[in-house]
Amino acid sequence: MLVHTKLSAVFIVMIMFSQAHSDLVRLEDDNINGFITTVIGVCKGYDDKQSCQNLLLELKRVSSSLSEMRCRDLLIIVLKNSVWRIDMAMISVMEDTKLLEKMENDMLGVKEDTNLFEEMMESAKDRMIRSVEELLGGESLNLGSYENVHTWLSGVLTSYITCIDGIGEGAYKRRVEPELEDLISRAKVALAIFISISPRDDTELKSVVSNGPSWLSNVDKEYLYLNPEVLKKIADVVVAKDGSGKYNTVNAAIAAAPKYNRKRFVIYIKTGVYDEIVRIESTKANLTLIGDGQDSTIITGNLSCNDGKSTFHTATIASNGNGFMGIDMCFRNTAGPTKGPAVALRVSGDMSVIYRCRIEGYQDALYPHRDRQFYRECFITGTVDFICGNAAAVF
Ligand SMILES: *[C@@H]1O[C@H](CO)[C@@H](O)[C@H](O)[C@H]1NC(C)=O
Ligand SMILES: *[C@@H]1O[C@H](CO)[C@@H](O)[C@H](O)[C@H]1NC(C)=O
């Protein structure tokens, strides 16, 4: 009996849905079913209404009480469901990759693609989980919470698109592309629901006051505007080429920084040219790199697309940690003007600040990849598209 009831409920939804497709407005007026009304409302501003509605109706199978649901709860369900989808996709792609590695000649390429896929999936999951936590935060969310969720959900979409753009043509791409397309639809639906519950605000422009954007905490502002000599004195570790510091490479100092750091960890990098490809992992949060000036402390590299890297991987220094600060130094890519995209600095972490720095390269020299970023008193040079990316960056 119970089974029967459930079946007929699904059946009714399907019928109404085919009507909804042909006559959206009338159905809305009739207000037959709360959930259907919600679905139609959410998908109204969405360019591919049919996939939006299909995705949301899929949730009907996940939760039985959807008809009573508020949009915020619906968003939470969509996000949790997407996190689960990512886990499933990662497991099944990983199994297929083992076979693929046996078949493909280009093992190195598959390895790099796998790393990009996994890194982007992890960062998308992280942003969705944090969004759910924020959305569960209270009855009425404040503007800052909406701003956070908006940033992170846009970052999810950027992560997927980076993956599609960055993975080389071949069997691996053919394997992951359908998964990514499905995830992209879900991310767009999540954004559409978010937009439907978000208060319209025009405070975004006003929120950049003279000493930095509103998301920059007071503690971080103190660090940022501290006399640089004082900041160097209180640095946690020093990097120097001549052996006068604890480390002589930037990477060694970053490797030594604590993970998931809640207080700022400052690395002072003394004058010198550091020929290093630097990667700051997402676990290394709240990291400051301070140099001796934009003409004195230089991190340099020469990776480029023409040498077989995706734009994402060409960066001389790539920062994935939230709360990253770079002060008084130069980030450089010397690949040259004929080598295609060759990034000097890529910033992928939320709430990052680059202050009094020089960013030198050719094509795509500065890549503000995603999330919120603030650039102040920087000198940025390049040739083609020399600033490119999806971040909400303030210069
Ligand atoms: C960075 O530090 C702030 C406090 O200054 C803290 O609220 C935040 O959680 C830290 N970030 C991470 C990712 O731990
Ligand atoms: C690129 O950098 C590497 C590492 O420093 C160096 O060995 C190589 O010669 C450079 N290539 C060019 C074309 O400058």
Side-chain angles (χ1 to χ4, degrees), residues 275 301-303 334 339:
D275 190 349
N302 62 17
L303 301 180
T334 60
K339 290 288 208 164

CSV table of all heavy atoms in Angstrom, one decimal, residues 275 301-303 334 339, ligand 2:
chain,number,residue,atom,x,y,z
A,275,ASP,N,65.1,30.6,-8.4
A,275,ASP,CA,64.7,29.9,-9.6
A,275,ASP,C,64.0,28.6,-9.2
A,275,ASP,O,64.5,27.6,-9.1
A,275,ASP,CB,65.9,29.6,-10.5
A,275,ASP,CG,65.5,29.1,-11.9
A,275,ASP,OD1,64.4,28.8,-12.1
A,275,ASP,OD2,66.4,29.0,-12.7
A,301,GLY,N,60.6,31.6,-13.0
A,301,GLY,CA,60.4,30.3,-13.7
A,301,GLY,C,60.2,30.5,-15.2
A,301,GLY,O,60.1,31.7,-15.6
A,302,ASN,N,60.1,29.4,-16.0
A,302,ASN,CA,59.9,29.6,-17.4
A,302,ASN,C,58.9,28.6,-18.0
A,302,ASN,O,59.0,28.3,-19.2
A,302,ASN,CB,61.2,29.6,-18.1
A,302,ASN,CG,62.0,28.3,-18.0
A,302,ASN,OD1,61.4,27.3,-17.6
A,302,ASN,ND2,63.3,28.3,-18.3
A,303,LEU,N,58.0,28.0,-17.2
A,303,LEU,CA,57.0,27.1,-17.8
A,303,LEU,C,56.1,27.8,-18.7
A,303,LEU,O,55.7,28.9,-18.5
A,303,LEU,CB,56.3,26.4,-16.7
A,303,LEU,CG,57.1,25.6,-15.6
A,303,LEU,CD1,56.1,25.0,-14.6
A,303,LEU,CD2,57.9,24.6,-16.2
A,334,THR,N,59.8,33.9,-17.4
A,334,THR,CA,60.7,34.3,-18.4
A,334,THR,C,60.5,33.5,-19.7
A,334,THR,O,61.4,33.6,-20.6
A,334,THR,CB,62.1,34.2,-18.0
A,334,THR,OG1,62.4,32.8,-17.7
A,334,THR,CG2,62.4,35.0,-16.7
A,339,LYS,N,55.8,31.9,-26.5
A,339,LYS,CA,55.6,30.6,-25.9
A,339,LYS,C,54.2,30.4,-25.5
A,339,LYS,O,53.9,29.4,-24.8
A,339,LYS,CB,56.5,30.4,-24.6
A,339,LYS,CG,58.0,30.3,-25.0
A,339,LYS,CD,58.2,28.9,-25.6
A,339,LYS,CE,59.7,28.5,-25.4
A,339,LYS,NZ,59.8,27.0,-25.6
B,2,LIG,C1,64.1,27.2,-18.0
B,2,LIG,O1,64.4,27.1,-16.6
B,2,LIG,C2,65.2,26.0,-16.3
B,2,LIG,C3,65.3,25.9,-14.8
B,2,LIG,O2,65.9,27.0,-14.3
B,2,LIG,C4,66.5,26.0,-17.0
B,2,LIG,O3,67.3,24.9,-16.8
B,2,LIG,C5,66.3,26.2,-18.5
B,2,LIG,O4,67.5,26.4,-19.2
B,2,LIG,C6,65.3,27.3,-18.8
B,2,LIG,N1,65.0,27.3,-20.2
B,2,LIG,C7,65.1,28.4,-21.0
B,2,LIG,C8,64.7,28.3,-22.4
B,2,LIG,O5,65.5,29.5,-20.5
